Amino acid sequence: MIRYLIKNNFKLMIRSATNIILYVVTPVILVALLSSSFGDMMEKYESQGSIKAGYRYDADDTDMDAKLLEEQIKSIAKESDIILSEYPGANPQDTLQKEDLACFIIFERGGKYSIYENGDKKFEVKALEYMISSVDQRIAKFKRLGPETVAGEKASIGVYHPEYMTPINASDYYGIVEVVYFGWCAVVCGAGIFTAEKKYHIGKKLKVSGLTETQLFFARFIPMVLVVSISSLITAGITALVLDVHWGAPLISALIVVLSAAAATAFGLMFYNITQNAVVTIIVVFMCVWLAGFFGGSFETYMFSVHPQVLKDISPIYHINRALTELSCMGHSSYVKSSALYSTAIMLVCGFAAVFAGYVRRRKGA
């Protein structure tokens, strides 16, 4: 009996033009529009090559503060692809224009310094300013701590290169997150089932058929997950071919999308079993999904958004979006595990709640 219901519900959904438009056509159109609109904003910065800077040393050779600052800046500049050349006795303003430098540094007595900037090279100047101020702060901290540590070991100024996320373009980003967002509207996919059950009083007939609430739940859950998952994967394939969207680690990404669809389906069925009203269910689910998408990066990229991190972490869509986008641009992501756990937890909790609500309504004769 349950196999018959699953097969009929599956056929009912795949024949719906609304489902095809919602899960295949609309996402493709939206991805094309968003990637075009935000393409320039998310365009990665292309390096213009080495940054050229000059300096003049005005302090005495016995001035250890000035010497330390000069040595540290020269050392970090060498590692950071910055060409730092000395121009003894040179005029800063004239040298900036003549040698086409980004900035000119004058090392003064007592570890002080002055910077002359080239107004035509604002980005290069900001990079150099950050480097110099960082070194200056490290030296100040070094002086406060003293030349030796508690263990008697010599203290040193370390330079670290933390990991960072590789830039992702607008086509890849929105081509991924919109598939996830529409997948979370899975309850709309089941609207045809709910309408048919109400119209032909199928629900009442099923309650006297001997099927348990768990079986009735899976009779809706399985076909809905299949339709949403297949539609999402078809959309992903179309965007990859037409819009050149890159999906990283295809098998892992597909599994994340399927788990996401399962969580979204259980979430929607929970509200339907509680309310027994398709319209109310769709409205409530849409509001929840919109909020989760708002904080999770479905509209404004989570890299550029100013929302508190705690609000992002609450959103399951954030974990899923971040896992898939990082897989796309880096090939790996620490959020794969959290996204899978989040989706699985939602699926289990909401599935149990949906079944429990069904048993409560049956006992009350509703």
Side-chain angles (χ1 to χ4, degrees):
M1 180 67 175
I2 187 171
R3 292 180 182 178
Y4 175 78
L5 283 175
I6 292 172
K7 183 177 71 173
N8 275 7
N9 288 338
F10 181 77
K11 287 181 179 179
L12 187 64
M13 285 185 287
I14 62 173
R15 290 172 182 170
S16 171
T18 303
N19 288 338
I20 296 173
I21 294 172
L22 179 64
Y23 293 103
V24 179
V25 179
T26 306
V28 172
I29 295 173
L30 193 59
V31 170
L33 293 174
L34 290 174
S35 59
S36 175
S37 301
F38 295 101
D40 293 337
M41 184 185 74
M42 296 185 65
E43 201 63 43
K44 65 180 181 179
Y45 171 73
E46 297 292 343
S47 175
Q48 301 300 313
S50 301
I51 299 174
K52 294 172 63 179
Y55 76 95
R56 191 180 79 199
Y57 188 79
D58 286 355
D60 299 328
D61 289 338
T62 57
D63 192 330
M64 297 308 297
D65 291 333
K67 205 66 182 173
L68 178 60
L69 180 63
E70 179 200 19
E71 289 175 356
Q72 289 297 322
I73 288 178
K74 287 170 67 176
S75 175
I76 295 177
K78 186 176 180 180
E79 295 178 5
S80 305
D81 197 23
I82 297 172
I83 301 173
L84 188 61
S85 306
E86 184 175 7
Y87 296 91
N91 181 287
Q93 298 290 2
D94 294 340
T95 308
L96 279 175
Q97 300 301 323
K98 183 179 178 181
E99 302 295 335
D100 193 29
L101 304 176
C103 74
F104 193 96
I105 310 165
I106 298 179
F107 295 102
E108 302 169 355
R109 295 173 184 175
K112 297 180 180 179
Y113 60 90
S114 299
I115 303 176
Y116 292 82
E117 303 174 352
N118 187 338
D120 296 331
K121 298 181 180 293
K122 293 181 180 180
F123 293 106
E124 291 86 343
V125 167
K126 289 296 181 184
L128 288 165
E129 282 182 346
Y130 176 78
M131 180 196 74
I132 296 168
S133 63
S134 178
V135 172
D136 194 25
Q137 290 172 13
R138 287 177 179 274
I139 290 175
K141 185 177 180 181
F142 175 75
K143 289 177 180 177
R144 289 197 303 271
L145 294 174
E148 295 189 355
T149 63
V150 176
E153 298 178 355
K154 291 289 183 181
S156 61
I157 299 175
V159 179
Y160 303 95
H161 301 281
E163 293 184 1
Y164 62 94
M165 179 177 169
T166 306
I168 185 170
N169 61 41
S171 295
D172 289 348
Y173 182 83
Y174 286 107
I176 291 170
V177 303
E178 294 309 321
V179 169
V180 175
Y181 181 74
F182 278 90
W184 269 84
C185 298
V187 69
V188 179
C189 189
I193 298 175
F194 307 147
T195 302
E197 289 180 357
K198 289 287 185 180
K199 184 177 180 180
Y200 301 106
H201 305 288
I202 296 175
K204 293 181 180 179
K205 297 175 183 177
L206 291 174
K207 287 179 182 179
V208 297
S209 65
L211 292 174
T212 65
E213 286 297 325
T214 303
Q215 290 175 315
L216 292 176
F217 170 79
F218 281 110
R220 297 167 179 162
F221 177 79
I222 293 175
M224 284 175 66
V225 172
L226 286 174
V227 171
V228 175
S229 299
I230 293 171
S231 300
S232 297
L233 294 175
I234 290 173
T235 304
I238 293 173
T239 55
L241 292 173
V242 178
L243 301 174
D244 198 27
V245 175
H246 300 92
W247 290 76
L251 290 178
I252 297 176
S253 295
L255 179 60
I256 293 173
V257 170
V258 172
L259 282 175
S260 174
T265 300
F267 184 71
L269 287 176
M270 176 187 68
F271 281 106
Y272 180 73
N273 278 12
I274 293 172
T275 65
Q276 287 293 294
N277 188 306
V279 176
V280 172
T281 298
I282 290 173
I283 292 173
V284 173
V285 170
F286 178 77
M287 290 173 61
C288 295
V289 172
W290 189 91
L291 285 173
F294 179 75
F295 293 115
S298 298
F299 317 118
E300 179 185 17
T301 60
Y302 64 79
M303 296 90 74
F304 300 151
S305 67
V306 294
H307 310 307
Q309 186 62 37
V310 65
L311 292 179
K312 295 179 182 179
D313 290 334
I314 291 173
S315 169
I317 293 180
Y318 171 74
H319 292 261
I320 297 165
N321 284 346
R322 183 152 182 179
L324 291 173
T325 52
E326 288 184 357
L327 284 173
S328 173
C329 63
M330 297 192 299
H332 62 87
S333 174
S334 59
Y335 278 78
V336 169
K337 185 177 180 180
S338 65
S339 67
L341 289 175
Y342 218 142
S343 295
T344 302
I346 291 173
M347 177 180 64
L348 294 176
V349 172
C350 292
F352 174 81
V355 173
F356 180 74
Y359 274 115
V360 170
R361 296 185 71 88
R362 177 175 290 192
R363 290 188 65 178
K364 290 182 176 180

